[in-house]
Amino acid sequence: MNSALFTPFTVKNVTMKNRIVMSPMCMYSSHKEDGHVQDWHVTHYVSRAVGQVGLIMIEATAVLPEGRISSKDLGIWNDDHIRGLKELNRQMKMYGSKTAIQLAHAGRKAMVDGDIFAPSAIPFNEKMRTPVEMSLDDIKHTVNAFVEGARRAKEAHFDIIELHGAHGYLINEFLSPLTNQRTDEYGGSKENRYRFLKEIIDGVNQVWDGPLFVRVSANDYHPEGLSPEDYVEYAAWMKEQGVDLIDVSSGAVVPAAIPVFPGYQVTFSEKIKHGAAISTGAVGLITTGIQAEEIVQNNRADLVFIGRELLRDPYWARSAAKELNVELAPPVQYERGW
Ligand code: FNR
C-alpha cells in the first residue's frame, strides 16, 4: 500500500524515515535523584529505535533542578549531564532513528523539596503547594537555563529540540490567563503572556540552528482559559520566530473535565496546521496504524506522536506497517524473523 505514515519527513537538516514519533514520556528512573541517564533509559529508548520509530523524543528533561516534576526526572541543568545523554543518542542512532529531547520546567507542578516557582502564586489544586511568584531575576535566570539546556542538547548530539509548553508546566503557566495574573510585562495581554516563551525561543535560536518544536496544550477546557483559536495565533507568532513544528496536546493547565476519545486532540492539530500554516504533530489516543495513516494522509498533521501504545508495544511501527500492508525494513539482525 502507498502509505503517508511511512514516507520520510524532512525538517531543516533532519530527515526522519517515517512520520512516527515516540511521544515524550517521563520514566521517573533517574533513581539517584541527580538527573543522570540510567541503564533503564538506554534499554527503554533503544528498544524503540530497534522497533524502527522515525523520531524518538526523550522525556521531559529539567533545565533546572527546581523545575523537575519529581526528583527522579532526567536533568540537563549541568554540563555533567551531557555525557549520559550523548551515549544514549549514540545508541538510539545506531538503528536509524532520529532523536529529540523535550526541555522542561514544571513550574507550580514541580514536586521537589524547596521553593517551587510560577508566574503567579496560585497552587494547581488544594493538594499542591503554593508556588513563589517569579521575580524578574527569576525569569531571566530561567530563560537562560532553557538556553543552556539547548546548548547542552546540541553537545549531546540531539537532532531536534522540543520546548515543553504544555500540560500546565511553567511555559504553559505564563501563556494562560488562568495561571498568569501578573501585572508587569510578563502578564496581562496576550503579547505579555507570550513574552516568556518568546525570550526562550530567541535565546535558543542563538545557540541552536537545528529543528525546534514546541508542545502546547491547545485547550484549557475552561471558559476563561485559552482555546484552540488562541493557539492558532500563538503558533503564528512561533512560526515568525522560526519554530518548525507545533506538537499539539491539550489540557492539564487547571483541573478540568476533558472529553476524551480516540484521536480527541487531532482536530486541534488540524486547526493550528492550517490556521497558522505551520507543521504540526498530533497526539493522544492514537493506537492503530489505520488511525495514524488517516491523520497524515488527510494532512491533519505532519507527524503522529505515539505514547502509551509504544509502551505496550515497542515495535508499534512494525505492527502499524503490518496493519497497513507496508514493507518496513527491519534491523539486519532480525531479517530472518521480522
Ligand atoms: C506522558 N506524557 C508526557 N507528555 C510530555 O509532554 N512530556 C512528558 O514527559 C510526558 N510524560 C508522560 C509519561 C507517561 C508515563 C505517560 C503515559 C504520558 C504525555 C504523552 O506524551 C502523551 O501526550 C499522552 O500519553 C497521550 O498520548 P497517548 O498515550 O494516548 O498516545
Side-chain angles (χ1 to χ4, degrees):
M1 163 178 166
N2 264 343
S3 158
L5 185 64
F6 287 94
T7 53
F9 179 69
T10 298
V11 50
K12 289 210 172 101
N13 55 332
V14 177
T15 298
M16 301 165 43
K17 61 187 167 191
N18 57 49
R19 309 299 183 102
I20 301 168
V21 185
M22 179 175 187
S23 202
M25 283 177 285
C26 282
M27 289 289 106
Y28 308 113
S29 292
S30 199
H31 55 79
K32 292 179 188 156
E33 310 201 351
D34 55 8
H36 282 283
V37 169
Q38 300 299 324
D39 290 348
W40 170 259
H41 301 103
V42 178
T43 304
H44 168 66
Y45 290 114
V46 176
S47 308
R48 277 69 191 176
V50 171
Q52 304 301 305
V53 166
L55 175 67
I56 299 175
M57 186 171 294
I58 74 158
E59 62 203 80
T61 302
V63 298
L64 285 170
E66 64 269 28
R68 286 173 293 176
I69 302 165
S70 85
S71 58
K72 294 184 179 171
D73 288 14
L74 281 182
I76 194 162
W77 63 81
N78 191 309
D79 282 355
D80 292 345
H81 289 127
I82 297 171
R83 194 151 63 97
L85 292 167
K86 196 169 174 178
E87 174 56 18
L88 176 59
N89 256 319
R90 185 185 72 79
Q91 296 207 33
M92 289 190 287
K93 289 181 182 190
M94 273 167 62
Y95 309 101
S97 291
K98 299 298 177 190
T99 66
I101 184 168
Q102 190 185 47
L103 299 182
H105 188 301
R108 69 175 184 169
K109 286 180 153 183
M111 288 193 280
V112 285
D113 294 338
D115 283 342
I116 59 170
F117 296 89
S120 302
I122 312 164
F124 177 71
N125 61 25
E126 59 289 347
K127 290 195 191 121
M128 307 275 282
R129 281 192 293 149
T130 301
V132 173
E133 177 178 315
M134 289 168 78
S135 66
L136 293 181
D137 274 349
D138 293 333
I139 290 176
K140 203 181 272 177
H141 173 66
T142 309
V143 168
N144 188 52
F146 273 97
V147 178
E148 282 289 281
R151 174 186 61 78
R152 295 183 188 112
K154 183 176 178 176
E155 286 181 32
H157 295 163
F158 283 99
D159 296 308
I160 293 174
I161 290 176
E162 174 165 287
L163 301 173
H164 197 345
H167 303 164
Y169 295 121
L170 188 63
I171 292 174
N172 197 174
E173 288 161 20
F174 271 91
L175 294 175
S176 174
L178 299 174
T179 42
N180 180 348
Q181 297 181 359
R182 299 178 72 93
T183 51
D184 62 8
E185 66 265 40
Y186 290 91
S189 70
K190 200 166 181 184
E191 284 82 358
N192 282 357
R193 283 182 276 114
Y194 181 72
R195 193 177 310 281
F196 180 64
L197 175 56
K198 180 177 188 291
E199 290 179 358
I200 292 172
I201 296 170
D202 281 343
V204 168
N205 282 338
Q206 300 299 311
V207 298
W208 173 256
D209 55 7
L212 182 62
F213 294 4
V214 179
R215 176 166 273 202
V216 300
S217 272
N219 198 339
D220 287 354
Y221 301 104
H222 187 285
E224 279 113 53
L226 296 176
S227 67
E229 287 73 24
D230 290 311
Y231 274 94
V232 169
E233 193 173 16
Y234 276 146
W237 295 352
M238 287 185 235
K239 184 185 174 187
E240 264 176 48
Q241 286 189 270
V243 169
D244 297 285
L245 181 140
I246 309 293
D247 167 11
V248 186
S249 187
S250 73
V253 181
V254 291
I258 303 179
V260 171
F261 51 87
Y264 69 106
Q265 297 171 144
V266 178
T267 50
F268 307 146
S269 156
E270 206 171 0
K271 201 176 209 39
I272 290 172
K273 180 172 167 58
H274 301 293
I278 189 166
S279 298
T280 60
V283 67
L285 282 178
I286 302 165
T287 54
T288 70
I290 289 173
Q291 228 187 325
E293 177 65 29
E294 184 275 330
I295 293 165
V296 184
Q297 187 76 251
N298 290 320
N299 211 17
R300 306 175 73 196
D302 299 272
L303 300 178
V304 178
F305 286 60
I306 307 293
R308 287 161 292 182
E309 205 57 24
L310 259 171
L311 297 185
R312 298 178 193 115
D313 177 5
Y315 297 168
W316 186 85
R318 176 192 167 278
S319 307
K322 290 260 182 229
E323 191 188 330
L324 295 169
N325 212 5
V326 169
E327 288 278 324
L328 179 67
V332 290
Q333 293 87 344
Y334 286 179
E335 273 167 2
R336 289 173 66 182
W338 184 247

